[in-house]
Amino acid sequence: MSSRATEVVRLLTVNGATLAVAESLTGGLVAAEITAVPGASKVFRGSVTAYATELKQELLGVDATLLAQRGAVDPQVAAQMAAGVRKALGADWGLATTGVAGPDPQDGQAVGTVFVAVDGPLGAGSGSAGGGKVERLRLNGDRAEIRMESVRSVLALLLTELAGEQTGNERAQDTERNGGF
């Protein structure tokens, strides 16, 4: 279990929030990291490993036209996966990973091209529009290294959003204590 996963579970617990995960190239590694943390059952709703492209549409609601035109390795696909798993599993936060771990390119994308996404409550964290945020990664290494760095990166992205939400909550509480200004 990683310190990032431990911190994710801690912050979700403190905030009374839940998490769901949609994975492609990571094949369940994100869920495994989260569930390795004692107490994860309080916050982790579940995961969908949609490795096959058609499952991204069937299980997560990713737009079929988008998948047909751009393939599964795309920032909008990652965003829709995160939003879709959040909705499908009834969670406050959704995470997603999609990309090319190798050994061969996929959908015109080079090995090491990865998109990680988070979808959360509106106005959470950095105030990202629609509650979602996607990062493009260009990773080096072998298949295992690319997959593990994808796990680390998606957890870091969620931590950034959760830390922003925590800071916002603390600011609101401080404002209440100081007369509402």
Side-chain angles (χ1 to χ4, degrees):
M1 118 191 83
S2 72
S3 60
R4 284 186 178 145
T6 300
E7 185 64 5
V8 162
V9 170
R10 187 190 74 76
L11 285 173
L12 288 168
T13 301
V14 165
N15 293 331
T18 56
L19 174 66
V21 177
E23 301 186 65
S24 186
L25 86 148
T26 50
L29 293 173
V30 177
E33 281 290 304
I34 296 291
T35 58
V37 178
S41 61
K42 294 176 190 162
V43 299
F44 188 67
R45 297 276 303 152
S47 65
V48 174
T49 300
Y51 211 66
T53 298
E54 67 271 12
L55 293 180
K56 292 170 180 63
Q57 189 267 320
E58 293 169 8
L59 299 177
L60 300 171
V62 176
D63 182 71
T65 304
L66 174 66
L67 287 167
Q69 290 176 347
R70 297 200 190 154
V73 183
D74 181 82
Q76 287 182 307
V77 170
Q80 289 184 19
M81 287 173 65
V85 78
R86 180 178 170 222
K87 180 180 178 186
L89 301 186
D92 298 305
W93 292 90
L95 287 182
T97 62
T98 187
V100 186
D104 301 313
Q106 178 187 337
D107 298 330
Q109 299 285 354
V111 171
T113 303
V114 176
F115 295 95
V116 295
V118 61
D119 189 76
L122 291 175
S126 61
S128 48
K133 187 171 187 178
V134 179
E135 283 186 2
R136 178 191 175 111
L137 309 173
R138 185 67 187 102
L139 304 175
N140 296 311
D142 64 21
R143 182 175 172 77
E145 290 168 326
I146 289 168
R147 293 174 76 218
M148 286 313 298
E149 185 55 36
S150 298
V151 172
R152 286 188 286 273
S153 295
V154 78
L155 291 175
L157 181 60
L158 177 59
L159 278 175
T160 299
E161 293 298 300
L162 289 172
E165 181 181 56
Q166 185 72 15
T167 301
N169 289 340
E170 289 166 358
R171 202 173 13 248
Q173 290 168 0
D174 186 52
T175 300
E176 291 171 13
R177 281 193 297 267
N178 290 313
F181 294 106

